[in-house]
Amino acid sequence: MSYILLIDEDLNFRGLLKKFIEKKFMTKVVEVNSEKEALDKIDRRKPRMVFINTDADFGSGLDFLETLKTFEVPIIALTANNEREYIEKLISYRIEGCLLKTDVLSQLAERLERIFHRYEHLYV
């Protein structure tokens, strides 16, 4: 069974996002709070998609984006930083999207539907 990997140190935020995704898209979400845990999960089984908090306290989410891209999995960046330069830098990593943590649920359904449709051939 495919799953979405959610990397964020904020337990409350992870729980809220997990509940929303699982209910709306009937897809399993696996939560981790560190880069090491994320790599362990990915090594065992590649996720359908990865959400990563690029502002995380566990390390540089921006640096970890490079590592994640090697797994050729769609990546959604989560950030509370809405500065234009920062968002442009995130986009330069060729991720699938960037969601502001303050507006994530209002943006999420539309963004996920678009991404799932684009990659559905990988998960048949």
Side-chain angles (χ1 to χ4, degrees):
M1 180 175 167
S2 66
Y3 71 99
I4 291 176
L5 183 61
L6 174 55
I7 310 165
D8 195 311
E9 80 283 0
D10 184 335
L11 180 63
N12 293 326
F13 180 79
R14 284 194 333 249
L16 179 66
L17 189 54
K18 176 182 179 173
K19 183 177 179 179
F20 178 83
I21 293 170
E22 288 183 341
K23 184 176 180 182
K24 174 83 174 160
F25 296 99
M26 303 300 200
T27 300
K28 179 180 170 96
V29 175
V30 174
E31 305 171 63
V32 298
N33 65 3
S34 72
E35 295 171 359
K36 182 184 180 321
E37 284 182 283
L39 290 175
D40 288 344
K41 295 287 184 197
I42 294 170
D43 281 343
R44 280 188 238 140
R45 183 161 184 193
K46 185 172 146 182
R48 181 176 192 179
M49 181 181 306
V50 174
F51 284 80
I52 180 172
N53 177 5
T54 57
D55 309 327
D57 293 335
F58 54 72
S60 172
L62 291 175
D63 292 340
F64 195 52
L65 283 176
E66 285 298 323
T67 302
L68 289 175
K69 290 301 286 182
T70 65
F71 293 99
E72 298 179 355
V73 60
I75 299 168
I76 303 290
L78 303 167
T79 183
N81 187 340
N82 65 355
E83 294 176 14
R84 181 182 176 135
E85 296 81 23
Y86 186 78
I87 300 298
E88 287 174 352
K89 184 171 185 169
L90 282 175
I91 292 169
S92 75
Y93 283 89
R94 304 188 50 85
I95 57 176
E96 288 301 318
C98 177
L99 299 173
L100 292 176
K101 289 182 83 170
T102 55
D103 300 327
V104 73
L105 295 182
S106 65
Q107 302 169 41
L108 187 60
E110 176 189 337
R111 184 76 47 93
L112 281 180
E113 286 173 1
R114 219 174 357 171
I115 293 167
F116 283 168
H117 180 70
R118 184 180 314 153
Y119 290 97
E120 68 187 339
H121 66 282
L122 298 176
Y123 306 101
V124 177

